[in-house]
Amino acid sequence: AAYVPVAHDYVGAPDQLDRNWVLEQIKPLLENPDRKKVGQNLKYDKSVLANYDISLEGIYWDTMLESYVLNSTATRHDMDSLAQKYLDHQCITFEEIAGKGKKQLTFNQIDLETAAPYAAEDADITLRLHETISPQLELEQSLCSVFRDIEMPLVGVMSRMERQGAKVDGRLLGQQSMELGKRLHELEKQAHDEAGELFNLASPKQLQTILFEKLGLPVIKKTPKGQPSTAEDVLQELALDYPLPKLLIEHRGLSKLKSTYTDKLPQMINPATGRIHTSYHQAVTATGRLSSSDPNLQNIPIRTEEGRRVRQAFVAPEGYQLIAADYSQIELRIMAHLSNDAGLLEAFDQGLDIHKATAAEVFSVALEEVSSDQRRSAKAINFGLIYGMSSFGLAKQLGISRKSAQEYIDLYFDRYPGVLHYMDRTKESARETGYVETLFGRRLYLPEINARNGMRRQAAERTAINAPMQGTAADIIKKAMARVDQWLLKSDLDARMIMQVHDELVLEVAEDQLEVVKDCIVEKMSQAAELNVPLLVEAGNGYNWDEAH
């Protein structure tokens, strides 16, 4: 491994080669698609090099993604963790050479004798990791295919999306922050009135005293230390019968929205681009879904008015609009495909409202006679079963007795026997092999599937049922992103992908090209996978993200 220093400027630093000259020399090598590159988290390198007008091509192996595809849950996938696990080697940490906290040096301030071994170790360890992990991947054709066809094409896609960023109206968010502040103040006052005294809404200890000692509310769950719990799910349950927990839940939700989004997003706008540049993470979630941070786009609430107002602040520049395209009920469609249940397949083939169709089956009524309450119950059953919900969970969600909930579930399985068969088969296979797979062969290992502890085992069984659906949905959106990106790169359209959230892609498109782009996006996304049911994509457009959704 070699280190070429170009920018160390501490007192007494030796003369170094000129940075621009060095970059000129290595640019042809880095941009040559035929020279295969191996790296650790190459999305980062691609983005950094792009700042110097170098387009990193030939991205062929990424050790972070090799490890992630081989076993997403065995370890974290940063270099230090991988070196420890696969090479039994402890890497030099940045803190060791640069110090900690306020006194931490930046890399240009570190002397060459210390910097060179640290930098060269990164290259050496990366190659050794590749030589260790890659042969293990090669043994499994399906894992190779997930790595090569789904994960690696995304490296360039996400680098482009991150650098493109999304335009955000900071003034609008500032206004919303002020309004949220007023509303939080009102809620605080109402909570104090309800409690009959002043207290800190954010203090679990004070909440315990008010709720369980002073007001005598029932204790639903205890903390590991034996104290009455004030966790979100406990408050949700108490809120059904008591006013104070309801106020606390609303206060918590708005407070989080304010601190995470309306206060923070304006500070995240890059002064040079006027945009927010989130970071996407490919190797974090166990099931294959992408996650994002700074800001976390996946967590902006969509069902609340306040959450939608945050989305209204994501705007299109002058002369452009946003297109939001997302998969409709993709996990239920995957369930229909995997279970091959005749009833579900027929409902999707006929383009029926699936929740209405389920309600008609479960409650034995004609499709046109299904009430909104029956549809709501059927929707809870449809999604609940995907996540392995028990009769207890369903009863809680629908506010009915456990006996009634169990009857609903029994009726559902009676009408859709293929689903029950799929679930039993999946659990059995997971117990034998220790893992489940998506439609494309991505694996999720379940170390607790044969655990003696009943709760742990049941949690693993729920994951076994859900992971193939959630993972397949993740694979499909990743394949769609790569298809859309390639199409946009080859076309001369004034359009670019700016965000990916759950099952949705958001694009920024010149107004005179909206219709052609919208039609093509729907086509590219719906062709990303072949299922036994139609893959339905819905696309809308507008001057902000909420309008387009």
Side-chain angles (χ1 to χ4, degrees), residues 175-187:
Q175 193 181 327
Q176 194 185 347
S177 251
M178 280 170 59
E179 288 168 24
L180 284 175
K182 277 184 198 163
R183 177 71 186 133
L184 285 166
H185 186 66
E186 285 166 19
L187 287 169

Side-chain angles (χ1 to χ4, degrees), residues 6 40 56 77 106 222 239 249 291 378 396 515 547:
V6 291
Q40 163 78 13
L56 180 62
H77 305 283
T106 48
K222 291 196 171 180
I249 285 172
S291 59
K396 211 159 113 178
E515 289 315 310
E547 238 180 55

Side-chain angles (χ1 to χ4, degrees), residues 271-399:
T273 63
R275 290 169 174 258
I276 276 175
H277 301 268
T278 189
S279 294
Y280 287 96
H281 307 292
Q282 231 176 314
V284 172
T285 69
T287 55
R289 276 193 178 276
L290 293 176
S291 59
S292 65
S293 62
D294 304 317
N296 178 355
L297 298 173
Q298 322 286 334
N299 273 5
I300 302 173
I302 190 170
R303 288 188 181 88
T304 65
E305 178 60 35
E306 291 81 12
R308 284 195 293 275
R309 282 189 64 195
V310 172
R311 287 171 173 246
Q312 285 164 20
F314 284 77
V315 294
E318 186 111 4
Y320 290 79
Q321 281 193 38
L322 300 184
I323 289 178
D326 76 333
Y327 287 110
S328 168
Q329 299 170 332
I330 188 166
E331 290 186 11
L332 286 174
R333 289 169 190 273
I334 293 165
M335 165 66 98
H337 175 88
L338 294 175
S339 68
N340 217 16
D341 181 89
L344 276 183
L345 291 174
E346 190 184 355
F348 278 121
D349 273 342
Q350 290 182 12
L352 300 179
D353 173 336
I354 193 67
H355 304 311
K356 223 172 178 180
T358 301
E361 290 287 355
V362 171
F363 301 113
S364 300
V365 293
L367 198 63
E368 56 278 5
E369 286 171 21
V370 170
S371 70
S372 57
D373 267 358
Q374 286 172 328
R375 185 185 183 277
R376 187 177 69 89
S377 298
K379 186 175 181 179
I381 299 168
N382 274 332
F383 285 116
L385 291 176
I386 280 183
Y387 292 100
M389 191 189 277
S390 63
S391 58
F392 176 72
L394 185 62
K396 211 159 113 178
Q397 192 170 332
L398 292 176

Side-chain angles (χ1 to χ4, degrees), residues 102-131:
K102 285 183 180 173
K103 292 184 176 174
Q104 189 177 65
L105 302 173
T106 48
F107 204 65
N108 55 309
Q109 299 169 306
I110 292 167
D111 65 84
L112 290 188
E113 289 69 23
T114 309
Y118 171 83
E121 183 185 55
D122 274 10
D124 174 43
I125 290 297
T126 298
L127 185 61
R128 283 164 61 190
L129 281 172
H130 168 62
E131 287 169 346

